[in-house]
Amino acid sequence: MEKIQIALTYDDNYAQHSVVLIASILENKTGNEEIIFHILDGGLSDNSKKILQDIQGCEIKIHQVDKKQFEGYVKSDYYPVSMLWTMILPDIIKVEKLIYLDSDMVVNSSLKELWETDLSDNYVAAVEDANGKKYAKRYGLKDSKFFNTGTMLINCKKWLEDNIPQKAVEIAMKNTGSRWGYDQTVLNQLFEGKVKFLDLKWNLQYFPINVWATYDDKQEYKNAIKNPLIIHYVGDYKPWKKGLGCFNPKQQDYFKYHKITPYAFTDYNKWFRQDKLLSYKGLAAFIKRYPLFFLKKQFWKNMFSI
């Protein structure tokens, strides 16, 4: 079988969660699958690199990035410069196709089916963003679908033929500091009409109190919630954040794999108790963002329809 090539981009802030993602992929691979992980180093400590190099059952390659092309990028906590590296993956990793995954994910299935997806003449295969209709309208896309870059099967050959990395970086740097200058916005504009949309189960974006999905196919979304092949922990309520994680209905999926990594806790029950005791933080954050949430129809629709 052809080796499955997977790319991750992260720094030490997401080292632990990326290792959990890797563990989930390896735990669910079939016997004959060979996997190569390509790690774009956004600032990894020697300890983080050692943990990566000690992982068994796969091949790990760490790549350095020429950061000169990103000089002048206006970074923020939510949009670090490493976010833009997804746009230059085919320049760094010399393969014909590549799976890219965000680091705030876990995988519950073999990736063989995703890897063997026919890309035809499309730039990527990806899943519609949960707020895709809103974003498509905001950014002036003719197509009402806007894809989420968390899961991408990348047609590296086509990207390079059409000089996508250079075009994408130029657009991002020209719009740095604005919502027009991050990877998802840039790639959606460049790839309009050349995206193969995947079943929602390949990138489940689900958090009922503040992910108010606009998908047309409600049944597909319900099926994905029940049986997600990839869970994407979008937003601030990450499962590993004390006081926030306890609100995430897919929290246990993360810790299922966390337990088989070098980052495993000695006492998970204690950690979950502390998480719940600090839950007032999550409630306060939600009320601050949506002070009149009880007046929003979409909130109640989400709470009772899924």
Side-chain angles (χ1 to χ4, degrees):
M1 179 184 170
E2 181 184 10
K3 292 182 179 180
I4 299 175
Q5 312 276 347
I6 301 173
L8 310 175
T9 67
Y10 63 93
D11 57 19
D12 254 15
N13 292 321
Y14 264 75
Q16 177 175 174
H17 316 306
S18 298
V19 170
V20 173
L21 169 59
I22 291 171
S24 72
I25 294 169
L26 295 178
E27 186 73 3
N28 288 291
K29 73 172 186 174
T30 59
N32 64 338
E33 287 177 22
E34 293 184 66
I35 297 177
I36 300 178
F37 289 101
H38 299 272
I39 312 298
L40 269 63
D41 182 357
L44 294 172
S45 65
D46 289 341
N47 183 60
S48 294
K49 290 179 182 178
K50 184 179 185 306
I51 289 172
L52 281 171
Q53 291 160 354
D54 287 344
I55 294 174
Q56 302 295 310
C58 64
E59 185 177 348
I60 302 279
K61 294 184 178 181
I62 299 177
H63 303 264
Q64 299 300 315
V65 178
D66 180 1
K67 300 176 185 178
K68 290 181 181 179
Q69 60 190 312
F70 301 108
E71 287 178 357
Y73 174 73
V74 179
K75 66 179 180 179
S76 67
D77 291 339
Y78 204 73
Y79 298 127
V81 67
S82 58
M83 171 201 65
L84 300 183
W85 296 354
T86 58
M87 305 186 307
I88 60 171
L89 288 170
D91 269 345
I92 298 170
I93 304 166
K94 303 300 182 181
V95 293
E96 289 207 356
K97 66 177 178 178
L98 182 68
I99 293 174
Y100 168 78
L101 297 172
D102 274 354
S103 295
D104 56 347
M105 290 179 149
V106 293
V107 173
N108 286 328
S109 166
S110 164
L111 293 176
K112 182 174 181 289
E113 181 185 342
L114 175 61
W115 179 251
E116 294 178 346
T117 298
D118 181 14
L119 281 164
S120 299
D121 196 40
N122 293 300
Y123 287 109
V124 292
V127 170
E128 182 181 357
D129 192 271
N131 292 304
K133 287 184 172 54
K134 177 177 73 175
Y135 293 148
K137 184 177 180 181
R138 176 185 294 174
Y139 298 111
L141 301 184
K142 295 176 183 177
D143 190 339
S144 62
K145 282 192 173 183
F146 184 101
F147 70 89
N148 183 281
T149 54
T151 296
M152 291 190 290
L153 178 63
I154 298 173
N155 188 340
C156 296
K157 183 179 179 182
K158 185 170 177 61
W159 281 38
L160 294 177
E161 287 174 349
D162 294 346
N163 205 19
I164 292 300
Q166 183 179 338
K167 291 177 181 177
V169 171
E170 287 176 356
I171 295 171
M173 295 305 295
K174 183 178 179 180
N175 293 281
T176 185
S178 79
R179 64 191 184 187
W180 296 86
Y182 72 107
D183 64 327
Q184 189 160 276
T185 306
V186 172
L187 294 180
N188 267 277
Q189 291 176 85
L190 287 173
F191 295 167
E192 187 172 12
K194 287 291 184 180
V195 177
K196 182 183 181 69
F197 281 93
L198 300 169
D199 190 288
L200 301 177
K201 66 186 179 182
W202 289 110
N203 182 352
L204 174 65
Q205 303 147 62
Y206 172 60
F207 185 63
I209 67 172
N210 73 344
V211 175
W212 299 348
T214 59
Y215 300 123
D216 288 329
D217 193 333
K218 306 300 187 212
Q219 188 58 50
E220 183 181 327
Y221 191 40
K222 289 180 180 180
N223 292 341
I225 292 168
K226 290 178 182 177
N227 185 32
L229 303 189
I230 299 178
I231 299 171
H232 190 178
Y233 296 108
V234 293
D236 297 325
Y237 288 76
K238 309 294 187 189
W240 57 83
K241 289 188 175 181
K242 286 183 180 177
L244 302 178
C246 57
F247 293 97
N248 197 305
K250 299 295 184 181
Q251 184 186 48
Q252 290 301 323
D253 290 79
Y254 174 82
F255 283 104
K256 171 185 174 182
Y257 300 112
H258 188 275
K259 292 176 181 179
I260 58 174
T261 72
Y263 297 99
F265 305 140
T266 54
D267 188 343
Y268 279 88
N269 289 331
K270 179 180 179 181
W271 193 95
F272 289 125
R273 284 197 300 271
Q274 291 173 342
D275 182 26
K276 289 178 180 178
L277 285 171
L278 294 172
S279 61
Y280 65 88
K281 290 185 176 182
L283 288 171
F286 179 75
I287 293 170
K288 182 179 180 181
R289 184 171 181 181
Y290 302 106
L292 298 176
F293 69 91
F294 54 88
L295 297 178
K296 294 182 179 292
K297 292 181 181 179
Q298 189 61 48
F299 172 81
W300 298 107
K301 185 178 180 180
N302 268 26
M303 297 304 293
F304 293 108
S305 66
I306 300 296

